[in-house]
Amino acid sequence: MILPIVKYGHPVLRQRGAVIEKITPEIKQLIADMFETMAANHGVGLAAQQVGHALQLTVMDVREVAKDRPSTLELKGKPAEAAEIMPLVLINPVVTPAGEPATGGEGCLSFPEIFAEISRPESVDVKALNEKGKPVEFRCGGLLARAVQHETDHLNGILFIDRMERKQKEEFRDELDALQAATKAELKKK
Ligand code: ZN
């Protein structure tokens, strides 16, 4: 089922996700719905907060944009194809920077029409559980590292506007205020 995407201004986007203790049928259904929602919106990643659930759960798939925006992957220290681990589910992820900061373009489904250059470590080490509850561990770079960091930020209530330089955020001030006001007005109606 395609779920509605929560937009900037909704309080759930600022909530830290609860740790997932057990992969219940409800969590499995949520994962399936998140993949469907992400694909319908041509997203590279989607966090549970973006569909209204404050949980440590995110889904990703970088294959569609792989040609324009490459990713690197290392499994147990050996180079691998990022496509091998796609589609990717990360539950309770722990992300550690492993590279120098790099700047790259980012958007967010919760911020329609807003795109910005964001600086983040070029590569990261990731430890998480997959959709079966099994531990996964890898190092990634390029777009996948950017997506992993953007999504795990969501799981901690952090948004990409928090990573923008002050000057850049100022440029989006009017759009951000308008989006926030529209979301709040929508919430009041319910
Ligand atoms: Zn986002």
Side-chain angles (χ1 to χ4, degrees), residues 13 45-47 50 106-111 120 150-151 154 158-160:
L13 290 178
L46 189 68
Q50 292 180 280
E106 267 179 52
C108 180
L109 294 176
S110 296
F111 293 79
R120 299 183 187 270
H150 179 114
E151 299 312 327
H154 271 300
I158 299 165
L159 301 170
F160 82 139

mmCIF file of all heavy atoms in Angstrom, residues 13 45-47 50 106-111 120 150-151 154 158-160, ligand 1:
data_model
loop_
_atom_site.group_PDB
_atom_site.id
_atom_site.type_symbol
_atom_site.label_atom_id
_atom_site.label_comp_id
_atom_site.label_asym_id
_atom_site.label_seq_id
_atom_site.Cartn_x
_atom_site.Cartn_y
_atom_site.Cartn_z
ATOM 1 N N LEU A 13 8.500 14.029 12.437
ATOM 2 C CA LEU A 13 9.814 14.146 11.784
ATOM 3 C C LEU A 13 10.906 14.554 12.770
ATOM 4 O O LEU A 13 12.093 14.406 12.485
ATOM 5 C CB LEU A 13 9.768 15.149 10.627
ATOM 6 C CG LEU A 13 8.982 14.732 9.390
ATOM 7 C CD1 LEU A 13 9.004 15.855 8.361
ATOM 8 C CD2 LEU A 13 9.541 13.449 8.781
ATOM 9 N N GLY A 45 15.668 6.718 -0.695
ATOM 10 C CA GLY A 45 15.563 6.223 0.671
ATOM 11 C C GLY A 45 14.304 6.768 1.337
ATOM 12 O O GLY A 45 13.771 7.806 0.912
ATOM 13 N N LEU A 46 13.844 6.035 2.345
ATOM 14 C CA LEU A 46 12.656 6.489 3.082
ATOM 15 C C LEU A 46 12.796 6.010 4.529
ATOM 16 O O LEU A 46 13.114 4.854 4.773
ATOM 17 C CB LEU A 46 11.386 5.910 2.445
ATOM 18 C CG LEU A 46 10.049 6.438 2.957
ATOM 19 C CD1 LEU A 46 9.840 7.902 2.567
ATOM 20 C CD2 LEU A 46 8.893 5.598 2.403
ATOM 21 N N ALA A 47 12.549 6.921 5.461
ATOM 22 C CA ALA A 47 12.619 6.585 6.882
ATOM 23 C C ALA A 47 11.200 6.410 7.423
ATOM 24 O O ALA A 47 10.250 7.009 6.916
ATOM 25 C CB ALA A 47 13.328 7.706 7.640
ATOM 26 N N GLN A 50 8.946 9.285 8.010
ATOM 27 C CA GLN A 50 8.342 9.944 6.846
ATOM 28 C C GLN A 50 6.981 9.351 6.463
ATOM 29 O O GLN A 50 6.288 9.917 5.613
ATOM 30 C CB GLN A 50 9.297 9.879 5.652
ATOM 31 C CG GLN A 50 10.546 10.728 5.866
ATOM 32 C CD GLN A 50 11.456 10.645 4.676
ATOM 33 O OE1 GLN A 50 12.192 9.682 4.534
ATOM 34 N NE2 GLN A 50 11.387 11.638 3.807
ATOM 35 N N GLU A 106 21.328 16.892 -2.389
ATOM 36 C CA GLU A 106 20.351 16.094 -1.648
ATOM 37 C C GLU A 106 18.962 16.696 -1.734
ATOM 38 O O GLU A 106 18.815 17.921 -1.725
ATOM 39 C CB GLU A 106 20.732 16.038 -0.154
ATOM 40 C CG GLU A 106 21.571 14.860 0.197
ATOM 41 C CD GLU A 106 21.959 14.822 1.664
ATOM 42 O OE1 GLU A 106 21.090 14.928 2.550
ATOM 43 O OE2 GLU A 106 23.170 14.672 1.914
ATOM 44 N N GLY A 107 17.982 15.815 -1.794
ATOM 45 C CA GLY A 107 16.592 16.228 -1.658
ATOM 46 C C GLY A 107 15.971 15.342 -0.601
ATOM 47 O O GLY A 107 16.633 14.454 -0.063
ATOM 48 N N CYS A 108 14.694 15.576 -0.307
ATOM 49 C CA CYS A 108 14.013 14.789 0.710
ATOM 50 C C CYS A 108 12.535 14.772 0.364
ATOM 51 O O CYS A 108 11.958 15.817 0.062
ATOM 52 C CB CYS A 108 14.232 15.424 2.076
ATOM 53 S SG CYS A 108 13.420 14.533 3.416
ATOM 54 N N LEU A 109 11.921 13.598 0.418
ATOM 55 C CA LEU A 109 10.496 13.494 0.059
ATOM 56 C C LEU A 109 9.602 14.288 1.009
ATOM 57 O O LEU A 109 8.482 14.633 0.656
ATOM 58 C CB LEU A 109 10.065 12.029 0.010
ATOM 59 C CG LEU A 109 10.717 11.169 -1.090
ATOM 60 C CD1 LEU A 109 10.264 9.713 -0.964
ATOM 61 C CD2 LEU A 109 10.409 11.703 -2.480
ATOM 62 N N SER A 110 10.120 14.616 2.190
ATOM 63 C CA SER A 110 9.337 15.425 3.132
ATOM 64 C C SER A 110 9.485 16.927 2.873
ATOM 65 O O SER A 110 8.845 17.743 3.538
ATOM 66 C CB SER A 110 9.759 15.110 4.572
ATOM 67 O OG SER A 110 9.444 13.765 4.870
ATOM 68 N N PHE A 111 10.355 17.265 1.897
ATOM 69 C CA PHE A 111 10.593 18.665 1.519
ATOM 70 C C PHE A 111 10.497 18.794 -0.003
ATOM 71 O O PHE A 111 11.516 18.944 -0.689
ATOM 72 C CB PHE A 111 11.997 19.115 1.953
ATOM 73 C CG PHE A 111 12.212 19.187 3.433
ATOM 74 C CD1 PHE A 111 12.460 18.030 4.170
ATOM 75 C CD2 PHE A 111 12.176 20.401 4.097
ATOM 76 C CE1 PHE A 111 12.677 18.092 5.544
ATOM 77 C CE2 PHE A 111 12.398 20.472 5.471
ATOM 78 C CZ PHE A 111 12.638 19.318 6.191
ATOM 79 N N ARG A 120 28.860 15.824 3.980
ATOM 80 C CA ARG A 120 28.817 14.667 4.885
ATOM 81 C C ARG A 120 30.061 13.815 4.618
ATOM 82 O O ARG A 120 30.618 13.887 3.532
ATOM 83 C CB ARG A 120 27.603 13.775 4.588
ATOM 84 C CG ARG A 120 26.246 14.437 4.761
ATOM 85 C CD ARG A 120 25.160 13.390 4.506
ATOM 86 N NE ARG A 120 23.814 13.941 4.493
ATOM 87 C CZ ARG A 120 23.031 14.056 5.560
ATOM 88 N NH1 ARG A 120 23.465 13.685 6.743
ATOM 89 N NH2 ARG A 120 21.815 14.541 5.454
ATOM 90 N N HIS A 150 21.616 10.372 5.480
ATOM 91 C CA HIS A 150 20.379 11.170 5.434
ATOM 92 C C HIS A 150 19.252 10.421 6.158
ATOM 93 O O HIS A 150 18.526 11.001 6.970
ATOM 94 C CB HIS A 150 20.014 11.436 3.964
ATOM 95 C CG HIS A 150 18.757 12.219 3.760
ATOM 96 N ND1 HIS A 150 18.752 13.480 3.217
ATOM 97 C CD2 HIS A 150 17.462 11.913 4.027
ATOM 98 C CE1 HIS A 150 17.494 13.917 3.171
ATOM 99 N NE2 HIS A 150 16.698 12.986 3.644
ATOM 100 N N GLU A 151 19.141 9.116 5.871
ATOM 101 C CA GLU A 151 18.041 8.331 6.462
ATOM 102 C C GLU A 151 18.254 8.078 7.951
ATOM 103 O O GLU A 151 17.302 8.166 8.726
ATOM 104 C CB GLU A 151 17.858 7.009 5.718
ATOM 105 C CG GLU A 151 17.510 7.140 4.235
ATOM 106 C CD GLU A 151 16.380 8.117 3.938
ATOM 107 O OE1 GLU A 151 15.454 8.248 4.770
ATOM 108 O OE2 GLU A 151 16.438 8.768 2.883
ATOM 109 N N HIS A 154 17.147 10.941 9.883
ATOM 110 C CA HIS A 154 15.688 10.943 10.087
ATOM 111 C C HIS A 154 15.315 10.123 11.320
ATOM 112 O O HIS A 154 14.428 10.509 12.081
ATOM 113 C CB HIS A 154 14.971 10.294 8.887
ATOM 114 C CG HIS A 154 14.624 11.240 7.778
ATOM 115 N ND1 HIS A 154 13.804 12.331 7.956
ATOM 116 C CD2 HIS A 154 14.962 11.245 6.461
ATOM 117 C CE1 HIS A 154 13.664 12.966 6.791
ATOM 118 N NE2 HIS A 154 14.360 12.329 5.875
ATOM 119 N N ILE A 158 16.628 14.179 12.980
ATOM 120 C CA ILE A 158 17.455 15.210 12.343
ATOM 121 C C ILE A 158 17.084 15.300 10.862
ATOM 122 O O ILE A 158 16.899 14.273 10.202
ATOM 123 C CB ILE A 158 18.966 14.865 12.510
ATOM 124 C CG1 ILE A 158 19.321 14.823 14.003
ATOM 125 C CG2 ILE A 158 19.843 15.865 11.759
ATOM 126 C CD1 ILE A 158 20.663 14.160 14.289
ATOM 127 N N LEU A 159 16.962 16.525 10.360
ATOM 128 C CA LEU A 159 16.552 16.739 8.967
ATOM 129 C C LEU A 159 17.679 17.379 8.166
ATOM 130 O O LEU A 159 18.573 18.003 8.743
ATOM 131 C CB LEU A 159 15.315 17.633 8.941
ATOM 132 C CG LEU A 159 14.132 17.053 9.723
ATOM 133 C CD1 LEU A 159 13.019 18.079 9.867
ATOM 134 C CD2 LEU A 159 13.613 15.780 9.063
ATOM 135 N N PHE A 160 17.629 17.219 6.828
ATOM 136 C CA PHE A 160 18.758 17.721 6.035
ATOM 137 C C PHE A 160 18.902 19.234 6.091
ATOM 138 O O PHE A 160 20.001 19.743 5.892
ATOM 139 C CB PHE A 160 18.770 17.140 4.607
ATOM 140 C CG PHE A 160 17.876 17.814 3.594
ATOM 141 C CD1 PHE A 160 18.322 18.024 2.295
ATOM 142 C CD2 PHE A 160 16.588 18.201 3.916
ATOM 143 C CE1 PHE A 160 17.517 18.616 1.347
ATOM 144 C CE2 PHE A 160 15.769 18.798 2.968
ATOM 145 C CZ PHE A 160 16.236 19.010 1.682
HETATM 146 ZN ZN ZN B 1 14.666 12.772 3.891
#
